[in-house]
Amino acid sequence: MTPSAALALPDADACYRAVSSRDRRFDGVFYTAVRTTGIYCRPSCPARTPHQRNVTFHPTAASAQAAGFRACRRCLPDATPDSPRWDVAADTAGRAMRLIADGVVDRDGVEGLAARLGYSARHLNRLLVAELGAGPLALARARRAHDARVLLETTDWRTADIAFAAGFASVRQFNDTVQEVYAATPTELRGGRSRSGSAPAGPGAVVGVDVRIPVRLPFDADRMAQFLAFHLVPRVEAAGPGWYTRSLRLPHGYGVVRLDLADAAVTGLVRGHLTVSDVRDVGSAVERCRRLLDAGCDPDAVGSALGDDPVLAGSLRSRPGLRTPGHVDGDEIALRTVLGQQVSLKAANRLGGVLAELAGDDLPEALHRDGVTRVFPTPAQVAALPGDAMPMPRSRQATLAVLATALAAGEVALDRSAGRPETRAGLLALKGVGPWTADYVLMRALGDPDVFLPGDVAVRAVLADHGVSGSGALADFADRVSPWRSYAVMHLWAERLDALAAPTSTTPTPREDPR
């Protein structure tokens, strides 16, 4: 069994084989609960392997918690990378998990989550219990417990501030949950350390926190950093050797995050520093960084599926762990994609900077870092601009306005609440939005792993070099690399980029820009 087969929970025998071999590839795919100890672990837990008759397997940490098991303090099962199932399947359960991770239940309640997904609260609860072993409240509780543990370990904030930051309604609820999930008090989880006098982290206070985002190895950190550096919007983003900084528009305020990717390919952790204007946004900000980094990707499953393809085999060997970068804000990447229609990547980035200057917001000075001082505008702010505000053709300005208006009105939702087919259809219904634009937005904003871009000039050029040309051959290639077509596109783009960087290559025309 490989993780690629784990779109549903593997059978008990397959799960136990993974546990017996301490296979790290399955961390986050399922959780092992041990009846004799009352704890649940990740599959790679270094503790002695329990007998098979004493274990059960759960699709989520919340499911194990709901069954009465506590988290193992040795392997920290809640610190695993996201399950790849949520992005691969993208069914209602998967979309719910993404929204819960972003804090929707904490902000809007179960009713708000259900409304976004188009269900009644009762039906959504039944569906999630059937699919994931826990309802939305239990899933949100597990997320809060994880966020609280991380803050206890990485900050010297008061426990009351941590409770508030993690989304708990009261300190008592925070203490009870930590005790139930980890069989320890907050002070015990902190290792006995006391608060050393940091500033309170209440609403409206600018606070900083170190973050650690786990990723599955192999992880091509260099390519991720390169991709992000190539797509910088001035004053909204910045990058340097092995690091990337950007501003964030968050539910309660603003934030700035700096991600350090230099050693992530070795450690399996992307470390960084997050500063927010409202402590309640810490969890949402970290979740959006996970999306950006494609942290839920299962590189072994991708490699297993694509590694034998005659077109991609060489790239898989030379670029193992290549990810499909997501984005921190679906609306932003959609607007930026329209800005990039029919122009070079450099020009698209420049136009993004112009739009941010015209319609975006200034960051509070306390959040400034690495030259990042602006926040990209909301769709409503873009829709309010005069029709001739941007230095680009009228037709593209009209498309930008139509898209911004649709996003602001909620006619198209890019927060992962809607199904991908419906979202794509909604985008294509907008004048000026074609298949390339819609599919690229699905790839970056919704984390769709199965997007192919047959009209992309760089994709067609690389495939032609491998003898794949014509609509029939392109369709055959797309069929055989499904359901990982987005990763296939990333490998083709990487190959094209390396070819263009070679000393003998010619300068690409704007439409040849490998995105």
Side-chain angles (χ1 to χ4, degrees), residues 88-395:
V88 175
D91 54 10
T92 301
R95 301 199 304 275
M97 285 295 291
R98 289 300 182 215
L99 293 174
I100 291 170
D102 194 59
V104 169
V105 171
D106 296 336
R107 295 191 299 272
D108 304 329
V110 175
E111 293 286 350
L113 173 68
R116 289 204 192 190
L117 294 169
Y119 291 92
S120 69
R122 180 178 295 181
H123 182 70
L124 179 64
N125 185 74
R126 286 199 301 265
L127 187 152
L128 294 183
V129 169
E131 291 285 330
L132 307 177
L137 285 176
L139 292 164
R141 176 177 177 270
R143 184 194 70 87
R144 288 194 296 267
H146 166 263
D147 291 347
R149 181 187 60 75
V150 171
L151 291 173
L152 285 166
E153 293 176 351
T154 61
T155 74
D156 58 1
W157 297 352
R158 297 179 307 166
T159 54
D161 296 330
I162 290 174
F164 188 76
F168 289 96
S170 68
V171 174
R172 179 175 180 177
Q173 184 189 63
F174 162 71
N175 288 332
D176 290 346
T177 298
V178 169
Q179 180 69 48
E180 186 174 343
V181 173
Y182 298 107
T185 66
T187 301
E188 289 170 338
L189 279 184
R190 197 168 238 172
R193 292 184 295 109
S194 62
R195 178 179 177 270
S196 62
S198 64
V206 172
V207 295
V209 59
D210 293 328
V211 297
R212 301 172 300 186
I213 300 175
V215 294
R216 292 180 178 85
L217 297 178
F219 176 67
D220 194 337
D222 290 341
R223 289 281 177 178
M224 175 64 74
Q226 181 189 57
F227 186 95
L228 296 175
F230 282 173
H231 292 76
L232 296 180
V233 169
R235 297 184 64 191
V236 174
E237 300 167 288
W243 61 268
Y244 168 78
T245 300
R246 72 153 293 135
S247 60
L248 303 167
R249 186 181 295 275
L250 298 166
H252 300 102
Y254 302 124
V256 169
V257 65
R258 173 169 168 147
L259 299 173
D260 295 303
L261 296 108
D263 62 350
V266 177
T267 64
L269 285 174
V270 176
R271 300 181 185 273
H273 188 79
L274 171 69
T275 308
V276 294
S277 61
D278 191 308
V279 72
R280 291 173 294 177
D281 286 328
V282 169
S284 296
V286 173
E287 170 61 19
R288 295 175 193 198
C289 291
R290 289 193 188 103
R291 297 179 195 170
L292 176 71
L293 298 169
D294 192 17
C297 170
D298 182 351
D300 288 312
V302 175
S304 176
L306 303 183
D308 293 331
D309 187 90
V311 173
L312 299 173
S315 183
L316 265 293
R317 286 193 298 270
S318 60
R319 305 177 186 94
L322 186 65
R323 297 302 205 264
T324 301
H327 207 273
V328 298
D329 188 315
D331 292 343
E332 177 185 325
I333 192 60
L335 295 168
R336 287 173 58 174
T337 303
V338 169
L339 294 179
Q341 289 177 343
Q342 303 299 317
V343 298
S344 68
L345 184 54
K346 183 177 180 180
N349 294 341
R350 180 182 60 80
L351 287 170
V354 172
L355 187 58
E357 289 296 322
L358 288 174
D361 299 327
D362 280 320
L363 280 172
E365 189 173 350
L367 294 179
H368 290 188
R369 179 163 189 175
D370 299 329
V372 173
T373 61
R374 297 283 286 178
V375 184
F376 199 82
T378 65
Q381 289 172 315
V382 175
L385 286 174
D388 58 352
M390 291 293 293
M392 58 189 191
R394 289 183 180 179
S395 60

Side-chain angles (χ1 to χ4, degrees), residues 425-465:
L427 288 169
L428 290 175
L430 303 176
K431 185 177 180 180
V433 175
W436 189 96
T437 298
D439 289 336
Y440 184 77
V441 170
L442 260 63
M443 179 191 294
R444 298 288 311 279
L446 303 191
D448 189 344
D450 200 29
V451 171
F452 188 55
L453 301 174
D456 186 86
V457 175
V459 167
R460 295 176 74 95
V462 175
L463 289 175
D465 290 343

